[in-house]
Amino acid sequence: DAKTTQPPSMDCAEGRAANLPCNHSTISGNEYVYWYRQIHSQGPQYIIHGLKNNETNEMASLIITEDRKSSTLILPHATLRDTAVYYCIVRVVGTYKYIFGTGTRLKVLA
Amino acid sequence: NAGVTQTPKFQVLKTGQSMTLQCAQDMNHEYMSWYRQDPGMGLRLIHYSVGAGITDQGEVPNGYNVSRSTTEDFPLRLLSAAPSQTSVYFCASSRAQGGPNEAFFGQGTRLTVV
């Protein structure tokens, strides 16, 4: 599985867009990019995933560069409840294994 | 739909004691796995199972055993607890085929070994 690199922490003002970057320069052609978040010490929660096209769901948008070496998770209107650790993971769909790095600790400020 | 249920939520053990952390899922998922999370760290894979009767080791398996006799249950056994096993343990499940195969995680078991 490819490794990912994320900034250790970020701040975002409430109501503004939070843009969380992830570098995955060694990603393989059949590996998807997944994003999870962990609020306090709860179990990680799935947010979104994508292969090469940009994706949007009710929680967030995922922008993947054309060369697939990096991606950005966008929370369009961050709220205080979005304060969490966000993990970017690459994996082959259908495999069991997730490799978690240390993620980005996002703090949304009032 | 309960999802992934872990019990107990908290546990304190003395060094050398054994115990079993329980994990059950009601989504008929083929894949189940156990992770541990130490303070300030990401999750690390302990053991995993791709179906009933099939288990294998992850990156940090020493001191733990697992079995998978049913699709629903995947217990994690600590054979002889050590302080180094103080951690938060998460169980996860996911489908093998179809859709995003996202993993669903339990709420964790916080284990302290004294």
Side-chain angles (χ1 to χ4, degrees):
Chain A
D1 292 332
K3 295 290 187 284
T4 61
T5 304
Q6 299 176 253
S9 64
M10 293 180 64
D11 290 341
C12 176
E14 188 177 21
R16 303 296 294 267
N19 296 281
L20 291 88
C22 179
N23 181 288
H24 32 77
S25 57
T26 59
I27 192 169
S28 301
N30 62 345
E31 288 182 311
Y32 285 66
V33 180
Y34 283 76
W35 283 84
Y36 282 75
R37 73 180 181 184
Q38 188 175 26
I39 297 174
H40 297 300
S41 296
Q42 299 175 16
Q45 175 192 23
Y46 167 80
I47 301 173
I48 198 168
H49 82 292
L51 182 62
K52 59 177 115 175
N53 297 321
N54 298 338
E55 302 287 344
T56 296
N57 64 19
E58 66 278 4
M59 291 181 69
S61 295
L62 174 61
I63 308 297
I64 303 174
T65 58
E66 191 170 344
D67 63 7
R68 304 212 318 127
K69 292 185 177 182
S70 65
S71 61
T72 300
L73 178 74
I74 301 172
L75 307 178
H77 305 287
T79 71
L80 297 178
R81 288 178 292 181
D82 293 321
T83 292
V85 178
Y86 287 77
Y87 296 99
C88 168
I89 299 162
V90 292
R91 67 182 280 257
V92 177
V93 171
T95 62
Y96 64 91
K97 194 173 180 180
Y98 286 85
I99 297 178
F100 285 81
T102 51
T104 295
R105 185 172 297 276
L106 174 69
K107 181 183 286 188
V108 179
L109 306 173
Chain B
N1 189 341
V4 179
T5 303
Q6 291 185 234
T7 55
K9 289 187 170 53
F10 301 93
Q11 183 70 50
V12 178
L13 287 179
K14 293 183 179 178
T15 297
Q17 285 186 316
S18 62
M19 80 159 294
T20 299
L21 308 185
Q22 302 291 345
C23 175
Q25 54 93 6
D26 60 0
M27 297 172 282
N28 203 31
H29 285 170
E30 295 88 348
Y31 292 159
M32 296 187 74
S33 52
W34 277 101
Y35 293 83
R36 62 176 287 173
Q37 185 174 33
D38 299 322
M41 306 279 288
L43 282 70
R44 291 184 294 167
L45 183 64
I46 305 172
H47 284 286
Y48 65 94
S49 169
V50 299
I54 306 170
T55 64
D56 208 341
Q57 296 180 350
E59 57 182 307
V60 288
N62 291 341
Y64 308 95
N65 273 358
V66 292
S67 60
R68 182 105 180 262
S69 56
T70 67
T71 299
E72 295 77 20
D73 300 300
F74 190 44
L76 178 72
R77 296 184 187 83
L78 279 72
L79 308 174
S80 176
S84 60
Q85 293 179 303
T86 293
S87 190
V88 182
Y89 292 83
F90 290 101
C91 178
S93 74
S94 61
R95 288 187 297 176
Q97 301 287 343
N101 303 116
E102 74 267 34
F104 294 81
F105 287 82
Q107 289 306 297
T109 294
R110 284 150 184 78
L111 176 69
T112 302
V113 182
V114 298

